[in-house]
């Protein structure tokens, strides 16, 4: 099951890259479609951040991950590199759990 | 010659930075329950960061493999527009086209279209693509292997690392008011739906709503 999904998603993502090189340009030149495609990642990433921070399964919860995300926001605002943002969030959550907050 | 050397230097810089990013992917993917071969197939074949993080993020949060797969594909649609833009520059025919397609990414597109000379643009594309592919897969392998040794990824805070990774990907896209409003609405809709529908569905609703918004807007 996981294998099938991994392979289907991987091949589909590759197919999207190939499509732009292989298809006639006019298929994708619709300005409205181009704008929509730029909005989708914004909405999906925001939804993923929210559910990854405030939910466990189908339950809304407040725990150390909220503090960790706050630290990540500060790191992003300070223009920290990607890995610093991720490591700061992970370290915050790990330390707070260590002291049983 | 000096122009080529400057391009190679920039390409290596980008590749090394993304290798570090790939270590995080390998770690998060393994923590989400994907095996080492599955993680490696994603980095080798899917090879587009946001999609890969999204798929393992959804799976790790208990959202299921198919909603994860669909989210990854939706995030991958922008690559089709990059390759469309690059098609006339690259002039990739025959054997080089499938390979060129695999290298179409945010970074390679940015490097290629930044050059005035098409020959340098092509060189920048291939140099960045090759360096990035190598570092990305090496980083994934290191991250996945290191995490396999850990019994509970929550001890290392890896569950909190996933939203942080998404935030770092999202932040550069939020420089105007409209994207920021869309992001806030999407987060609210996802959280509001979450308790009432099967896992993974909120993401698909958010994707459908923003798609509708984009197509109906003037």
């Amino acid at each position: 099951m996981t294998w099938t999904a991994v392979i289907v998603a991987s091949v589909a993502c590759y197919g999207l890259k190939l499509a732009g090189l292989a298809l006639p340009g006019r298929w994708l030149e619709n300005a409205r479609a181009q704008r929509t495609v730029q909005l989708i990642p914004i909405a999906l990433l925001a939804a993923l951040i929210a559910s990854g921070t405030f939910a466990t399964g189908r339950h809304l919860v407040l725990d150390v991950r909220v503090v960790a995300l706050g630290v990540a926001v500060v790191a992003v605002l300070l223009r920290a590199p990607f890995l610093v943002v991720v490591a700061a969030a992970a370290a915050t959550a790990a330390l707070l759990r260590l002291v049983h907050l | 010659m000096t122009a080529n050397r400057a391009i190679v230097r920039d390409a290596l810089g980008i590749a090394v930075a993304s290798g570090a990013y790939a270590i995080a992917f390998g770690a998060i993917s393994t923590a989400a329950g994907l095996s080492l071969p599955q993680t490696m197939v994603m980095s080798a074949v899917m090879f587009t960061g946001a999609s890969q993080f999204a798929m393992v993020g959804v799976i790790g949060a208990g959202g299921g493999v198919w909603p994860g797969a669909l989210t990854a594909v939706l995030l991958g649609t922008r690559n089709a527009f990059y390759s469309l833009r690059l098609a006339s520059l690259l002039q990739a025919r025959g054997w080089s086209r499938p390979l060129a397609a695999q290298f179409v990414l945010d970074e390679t597109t940015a490097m290629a279209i930044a050059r005035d000379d098409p020959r340098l643009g092509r060189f920048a594309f291939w140099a960045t693509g090759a360096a990035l592919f190598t570092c990305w897969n090496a980083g994934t392998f290191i991250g996945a292997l290191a995490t396999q040794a850990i019994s509970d990824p929550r001890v290392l805070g890896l569950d909190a690392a996933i939203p942080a990774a998404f935030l770092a990907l999202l932040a550069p896209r939020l420089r105007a008011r409209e994207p920021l409003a869309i992001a806030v609405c999407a987060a609210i809709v996802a959280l509001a739906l979450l308790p009432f529908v099967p896992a993974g569905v909120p993401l698909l609703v958010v994707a459908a709503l923003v798609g509708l918004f984009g197509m109906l807007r003037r």
Side-chain angles (χ1 to χ4, degrees), chain A residues 75-90:
Chain A
V76 163
L77 290 176
L78 293 174
R79 297 179 188 278
F82 177 84
L83 210 62
V84 173
V85 175
V86 174

Side-chain angles (χ1 to χ4, degrees), chain B residues 6-12 14 105-115 120-121 124-125 127-128:
Chain B
I7 288 171
V8 168
R9 198 188 51 219
D10 287 355
L12 288 177
I14 292 170
L105 297 165
D106 300 302
E107 295 87 347
T108 49
T109 308
M111 283 284 281
I113 63 177
R115 320 286 150 187
L120 285 179
F125 175 85
T128 312

Side-chain angles (χ1 to χ4, degrees), chain B residues 13 21 24-25 44 55 57 75 83 93 106 136 147 156 197 212:
Chain B
Y21 182 8
F25 168 73
M55 181 152 180
L75 281 169
S83 56
R93 303 265 177 272
D106 300 302
W136 184 258
T147 315
L156 286 185
V197 295
L212 207 62

Side-chain angles (χ1 to χ4, degrees), chain B residues 58-152:
Chain B
V58 172
I59 294 173
V65 290
W66 289 109
L70 195 56
T71 310
V73 174
L74 284 171
L75 281 169
T77 49
R78 71 186 191 292
N79 289 327
F81 290 85
Y82 290 153
S83 56
L84 181 71
R85 193 156 171 200
L86 289 170
S88 60
L89 171 74
L90 294 177
Q91 297 293 336
R93 303 265 177 272
W95 65 269
S96 71
R97 184 186 276 176
L99 193 59
Q102 185 61 327
F103 287 172
V104 173
L105 297 165
D106 300 302
E107 295 87 347
T108 49
T109 308
M111 283 284 281
I113 63 177
R115 320 286 150 187
D116 293 325
D117 179 353
R119 195 189 52 82
L120 285 179
R122 278 191 288 277
F123 181 74
F125 175 85
W126 287 105
T128 312
L132 211 98
F133 189 81
T134 310
C135 289
W136 184 258
N137 281 281
T140 305
F141 187 69
I142 293 167
L145 215 57
T147 315
Q148 272 188 336
I150 304 160
S151 55
D152 182 6

Side-chain angles (χ1 to χ4, degrees), chain A:
Chain A
M1 185 76 160
T2 306
W3 261 121
T4 320
V6 164
I7 290 168
V8 168
S10 298
V11 171
C13 282
Y14 173 72
L16 284 165
K17 295 173 174 180
L18 190 62
L21 292 185
L23 293 177
R26 62 191 146 74
W27 284 35
L28 296 166
E29 256 163 16
N30 184 312
R32 201 165 279 192
Q34 291 215 22
R35 265 201 325 240
T36 307
V37 163
Q38 287 171 357
L39 296 182
I40 288 175
I42 293 170
L44 281 180
L45 289 172
L48 284 162
I49 293 167
S51 43
T53 303
F54 298 100
T56 301
R58 286 171 61 186
H59 299 280
L60 297 179
V61 285
L62 279 180
D63 61 19
V64 297
R65 288 174 299 170
V66 181
V67 186
L69 185 69
V71 170
V73 169
V74 172
V76 163
L77 290 176
L78 293 174
R79 297 179 188 278
F82 177 84
L83 210 62
V84 173
V85 175
V86 174
T92 304
L95 284 174
L96 289 177
R97 282 188 185 128
L98 203 64
V99 298
H100 295 288
L101 199 86

